[in-house]
Amino acid sequence: MAPVPYVVPLVDSTAVFKPEIFKGKVLFCTGGGSGICRGMTEAVMRHGADAVIIGRKLDRLTQAAKELSDTTGRTCIPAQGDVRDPKTLRDAVTKTIEKFGRIDFVICGAAGNFLAPIAGLSENAFRTVLEIDTIGTYNTIKATIAHVRASKGSYIHVSATLHYNGTPFQAHVSAAKAGVDALSAVLAVEEGPHGVRSNVIAPGPIDGTEGMERLSVKGVADKQFAYPSGRAGHVKDIANATIFLFSDAASYITGQVLPVDGGSEHMRGTMVPYPQSVLDPASVAHMIKPRL
């Protein structure tokens, strides 16, 4: 009988951390209406914080905020905004302060991605991803920093592991996320003396997310990634890292990038067949999910 690899168990943060470690705290989260950032928001709320989630689609935000409030017993409110538009972020901050009076934690999570080779990537598409991910992170920092200074709070920026190596069809997001990592490091150095921490969480492949759906390649064996930890990532894995980094247990951790990927980055190949995909991109077009 062949040996069976060990599978890391999926643990809920409430089984490890005290339920009210964030009591009285307030979270400001861009991209919090869905996916990974919604899971991060829910986890922080389960440990006592209230939250504001920011996104472009108010109807989806409103529904998500209601569900998060009902699920956690805390208060979550929606604030419509676009991270590319500084005014809308300032308005969201004003709404947060009017409701809660403070901001302790900020998650910079708004992002965009799709598969495209450089030769087939328009200048506008490249610029748009940088505007959402990198400039959007900068705009979020600018809008919130005075309040995070006042609370001696903390930032978490949601990045990726794609730019650690050259990843075909991912020039736009690789450049954008490298910028996010750099911004976080500078923020940690400049704002540390003011009592502010800044770290990055870099998720690996996370099952059940829109991002994973967009990057999945059709016609390739289900196991496109190898997982030394025995399984694909779950939103709870990112949530658990979030609770740790925002907690006092991480008070001496700042300016760091934390990959949460089950070790898959060490085993990663390309998402599309190589070198076929770069020699003849049209031959793999049927394998790629159309842009949304």
Side-chain angles (χ1 to χ4, degrees):
M1 184 175 181
V4 177
Y6 177 73
V7 177
V8 173
L10 184 61
V11 178
D12 193 281
S13 64
T14 56
V16 179
F17 296 93
K18 292 180 180 179
E20 294 191 345
I21 57 173
F22 299 145
K23 185 176 181 180
K25 305 291 188 181
V26 176
L27 168 68
F28 184 95
C29 180
T30 63
S34 62
I36 287 174
C37 291
R38 174 170 171 162
M40 296 167 78
T41 299
E42 180 177 340
V44 174
M45 291 178 67
R46 284 187 181 277
H47 289 276
D50 295 315
V52 177
I53 53 175
I54 298 89
R56 289 180 296 167
K57 298 179 180 178
L58 184 58
D59 54 344
R60 185 162 86 167
L61 280 177
T62 301
Q63 181 62 32
K66 181 182 184 304
E67 291 170 358
L68 286 166
S69 296
D70 292 346
T71 298
T72 64
R74 304 303 306 175
T75 301
C76 181
I77 63 171
Q80 188 174 24
D82 187 333
V83 296
R84 294 170 292 182
D85 182 349
K87 182 183 182 303
T88 65
L89 286 173
R90 292 193 296 269
D91 290 345
V93 168
T94 297
K95 185 174 183 178
T96 304
I97 299 304
E98 288 175 349
K99 176 67 175 178
F100 298 115
R102 61 189 295 143
I103 297 173
D104 300 272
F105 305 135
V106 176
I107 294 174
C108 299
N113 197 8
F114 48 86
L115 291 171
I118 292 175
L121 182 66
S122 72
E123 294 86 349
N124 184 62
F126 184 87
R127 181 174 58 251
T128 297
V129 173
L130 264 72
E131 287 176 345
I132 295 171
D133 289 57
T134 315
I135 298 176
T137 295
Y138 174 80
N139 289 340
T140 303
I141 292 167
K142 288 284 286 184
T144 58
I145 188 61
H147 300 287
V148 180
R149 273 188 184 183
S151 66
K152 309 303 181 194
S154 182
Y155 287 84
I156 290 177
H157 314 274
V158 181
S159 186
T161 61
L162 297 165
H163 55 290
Y164 299 169
N165 299 294
T167 302
F169 289 28
Q170 290 286 269
H172 44 305
V173 76
S174 294
K177 292 305 190 186
V180 169
D181 292 2
L183 274 173
S184 178
V186 174
L187 184 64
V189 172
E190 288 189 355
E191 294 298 322
H194 295 285
V196 175
R197 293 188 299 115
S198 177
N199 290 290
V200 169
I201 289 178
I206 305 297
D207 269 357
T209 60
E210 182 178 330
M212 189 61 183
E213 173 64 21
R214 291 191 189 191
L215 299 182
S216 294
V217 178
K218 303 172 187 176
V220 175
D222 288 339
K223 296 204 172 188
Q224 297 179 46
F225 301 91
Y227 302 100
S229 295
R231 61 171 174 82
H234 189 278
V235 170
K236 280 189 176 181
D237 294 311
I238 310 302
N240 290 344
T242 301
I243 301 304
F244 168 64
L245 286 176
F246 277 152
S247 77
D248 289 343
S251 61
Y252 200 60
I253 298 174
T254 191
Q256 302 304 308
V257 177
L258 177 62
V260 182
D261 66 350
S264 61
E265 178 59 27
H266 297 294
M267 306 293 292
R268 180 166 64 88
T270 59
M271 291 176 285
V272 286
Y274 184 85
Q276 176 192 349
S277 59
V278 295
L279 291 173
D280 185 13
S283 70
V284 299
H286 67 285
M287 304 169 66
I288 298 171
K289 183 179 177 66
R291 298 181 194 176
L292 298 181

